[in-house]
């Protein structure tokens, strides 16, 4: 018996109907194939290569998402509360905490002593934003940035909170924001991935959190929409180079043979993942030349390194990854996700936060200026933030010179720049303890809906059929676009 016939006999009922769906949708598949160059060596349409037509004109072509793993302290960077000095070492009023769920790190504390920030703040810019002394470069560009001081989330621990921020759900297995961008907008470059992720090195590694590949998974979307992980040392991408002694012509002939076998498989079975496999093999082959060129920073000018700082010359440091991110955007990478660790300051905030700020402050400023100088900022959205904030009360020992802060989901600060955002806008307000939001709350779902809007999509209409449901990034709970964040 033909092996494919045997395979079809062994198919499950669910797979059978799934394959039938592929057959019934043959005309649609052919249309998509023409759009994306499937089964052809011809280049795809330069106007639009995504799989979902835009719902309205997009402001964003590319996104650079800078995730601060662990949760930056809004109290020590952007949410100035001068009145807390009078509350030093006094217990947080129960009327403020109001029975909020606590983590196991502080739920056993006998008291919750208030810890004002030890860092000085200055009001800067035409928008009058208060910024900590830890961020001198941010002070130069507050009028170029959209601040959200009223972010909030339902998650209180790292793994579910990061998962929610990245995928819209606390349970892993869903596509992340970058995968949705890839699925919707498609590629701008046939020689590089649509979605790339990098994990930057930190100066201080006192309390790093685990960063899982599940965060950049394509979930139930096809595998082509998962991120390609770019390593910060050694070979940028593993296993794309030819083994020693294998010539490029031999590799090309091998891939041609694999493609022919996969085409036979696809024609007989109709499995969309087979088509994905074909395209990914071809992309990997093209990346043999495009990735080394991308990651070669020797051609960058001294002016670039002066702008980003000396850390930009050190492979894997945050500044270095931001230079790479700019180069990717120039070359058509749609979505660049960068993770920076060690923001989980349960203790020694005074010792760790200066190191964290040093890692990110100048490079973030440089990235915004660099994109602007190159005419890329208007179409590139830059996002900075963590998965939650930090508590106003101290975890562990407290002094005026040092303290720790536990996780705090009720309010935290993020910022965005470029990509059609409302530059200089300060959105939302928290109470005198930076504990509860008193004006204009922004939930993670609202944030996702707003980002999708900037990409040109209605979050309620950008869906993918899975398990009988029209799945979407924002889920089934209410979400709305925060129009004040958009220019």
């Amino acid at each position: 018996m033909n092996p494919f016939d045997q395979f079809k006999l062994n198919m499950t009922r669910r797979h059978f109907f799934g394959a039938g769906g592929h057959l019934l949708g043959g005309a649609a598949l052919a249309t998509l194939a023409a759009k994306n160059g499937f089964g052809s060596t011809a280049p795809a349409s330069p106007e639009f290569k995504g799989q979902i037509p835009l719902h309205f004109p997009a402001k964003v072509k590319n996104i650079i998402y800078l995730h601060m793993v662990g949760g930056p302290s809004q109290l020590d960077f952007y949410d100035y509360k001068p009145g807390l000095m009078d509350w030093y070492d006094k217990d947080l009023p129960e009327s403020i905490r109001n029975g909020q769920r606590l983590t196991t790190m502080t739920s056993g504390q006998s008291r919750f002593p208030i810890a004002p920030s030890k860092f000085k703040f200055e009001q800067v810019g035409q928008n009058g934003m208060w910024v900590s002394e830890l961020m001198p470069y941010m002070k130069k560009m507050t009028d170029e940035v959209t601040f959200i001081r009223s972010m909030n989330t339902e998650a209180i621990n790292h793994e579910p909170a990061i998962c929610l921020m990245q995928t819209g759900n606390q349970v892993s297995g869903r596509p992340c924001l970058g995968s949705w961008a890839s699925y919707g907008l498609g590629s701008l470059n046939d020689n590089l991935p649509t979605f790339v992720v990098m994990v930057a090195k930190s100066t201080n590694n006192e309390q790093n959190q685990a960063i899982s590949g599940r965060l950049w998974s394509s979930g139930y979307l096809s595998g082509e929409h998962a991120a390609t992980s770019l390593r910060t040392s050694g070979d940028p991408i593993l296993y794309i180079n030819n083994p020693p002694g294998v010539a490029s012509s031999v590799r090309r002939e091998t891939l041609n043979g694999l493609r022919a076998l996969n085409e036979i498989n696809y024609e007989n079975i109709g499995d969309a993942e087979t088509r994905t496999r074909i395209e990914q093999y071809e992309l990997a082959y093209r990346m043999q030349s495009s990735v080394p060129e991308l990651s070669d920073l020797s051609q960058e000018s001294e002016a670039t390194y002066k702008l980003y700082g000396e850390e930009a010359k050190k492979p894997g440091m945050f500044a270095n990854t931001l230079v790479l991110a700019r180069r990717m955007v120039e070359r058509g990478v749609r979505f660049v996700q960068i993770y920076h660790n060690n923001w989980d300051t349960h203790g020694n905030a005074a010792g760790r936060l200066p190191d964290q700020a040093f890692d990110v402050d100048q490079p973030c400023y440089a990235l915004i200026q660099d994109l602007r100088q190159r005419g890329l900022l208007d179409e590139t959205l830059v996002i900075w933030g963590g998965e939650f904030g930090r508590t106003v009360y101290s975890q562990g020992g407290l002094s005026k010179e040092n303290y720790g802060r536990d996780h705090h989901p009720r309010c935290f600060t993020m910022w965005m720049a470029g990509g059609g955002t409302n530059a200089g806008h300060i959105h939302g307000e928290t109470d005198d303890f930076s504990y509860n939001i008193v004006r204009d709350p922004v939930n993670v779902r609202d944030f996702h809906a707003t980002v999708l809007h900037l990409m040109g999509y209605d979050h309620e209409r950008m869906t993918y059929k899975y398990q009988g449901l029209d799945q979407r990034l924002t889920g089934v709970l209410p979400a709305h676009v925060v129009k004040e964040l958009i220019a």
Side-chain angles (χ1 to χ4, degrees), residues 385-407:
E387 62 267 28
F388 42 54
R390 314 303 298 193
T391 57
V392 67
Y393 58 81
S394 179
Q395 176 179 343
L398 168 65
S399 72
K400 290 188 176 180
E401 293 303 316
N402 212 347
Y403 44 83
R405 301 192 189 279
D406 198 6
H407 310 164

Side-chain angles (χ1 to χ4, degrees), residues 86 132 182 236:
D86 297 332
S132 165
S182 171

Side-chain angles (χ1 to χ4, degrees), residues 183-377:
Y183 171 63
L185 296 174
S187 174
L188 287 170
N189 186 321
D190 290 334
N191 300 318
L192 288 170
T194 307
F195 175 21
V196 173
V197 65
M198 293 181 285
V199 178
K201 298 176 183 176
S202 304
T203 298
N204 188 311
N205 292 284
E206 198 168 320
Q207 193 169 350
N208 286 332
Q209 291 297 318
I211 303 175
S212 168
R214 290 178 295 179
L215 297 175
W216 51 88
S217 161
S218 60
Y220 42 71
L221 300 177
S222 64
E224 67 190 283
H225 302 300
T228 297
S229 180
L230 194 70
R231 300 199 317 156
T232 54
S233 60
D235 288 341
I237 300 177
L238 292 174
Y239 313 124
I240 65 168
N241 294 324
N242 296 332
V246 176
S248 182
S249 59
V250 174
R251 175 56 63 90
R252 181 66 267 171
E253 186 175 354
T254 303
L255 289 177
N256 288 343
L258 283 171
R259 183 182 185 112
L261 290 172
N262 281 322
E263 290 285 2
I264 294 171
N265 194 9
Y266 182 75
E267 289 172 8
N268 281 273
I269 306 302
D271 183 9
E273 286 302 313
T274 303
R275 177 61 63 191
T276 297
R277 189 179 304 119
I278 293 171
E279 294 302 311
Q280 295 302 87
Y281 275 137
E282 293 299 321
L283 175 60
Y285 182 77
R286 296 192 295 271
M287 287 196 297
Q288 288 184 338
S289 59
S290 62
V291 168
E293 186 277 331
L294 165 70
S295 57
D296 180 10
L297 302 188
S298 63
Q299 300 304 311
E300 291 290 338
S301 67
E302 279 303 313
T304 295
Y305 288 117
K306 183 177 180 181
L307 181 63
Y308 283 86
E310 285 299 307
E311 296 293 296
K313 296 180 179 180
K314 301 176 182 178
M317 298 305 292
F318 185 77
N320 181 265
T321 64
L322 261 58
V323 177
L324 282 169
R326 186 264 293 160
R327 290 172 65 87
M328 290 181 201
V329 166
E330 285 182 308
R331 288 157 177 78
V333 175
R334 282 283 191 193
F335 200 103
V336 182
Q337 178 86 51
I338 299 176
Y339 294 93
H340 184 260
N341 217 323
N342 195 47
W343 291 88
D344 192 23
T345 47
H346 290 280
N348 190 26
R352 294 169 58 193
L353 291 182
D355 287 339
Q356 298 300 102
F358 170 78
D359 280 353
V360 305
D361 184 38
Q362 182 177 353
C364 287
Y365 169 81
L367 178 64
I368 303 304
Q369 310 315 311
D370 201 4
L371 291 171
R372 184 183 301 283
Q373 292 168 11
R374 297 169 189 270
L376 296 169
L377 187 60

Side-chain angles (χ1 to χ4, degrees), residues 54-67:
L54 299 176
H55 299 145
F56 33 79
K59 296 178 180 291
V60 170
K61 286 185 178 180
N62 314 88
I63 296 177
I64 300 174
Y65 192 151
L66 312 173
H67 188 97

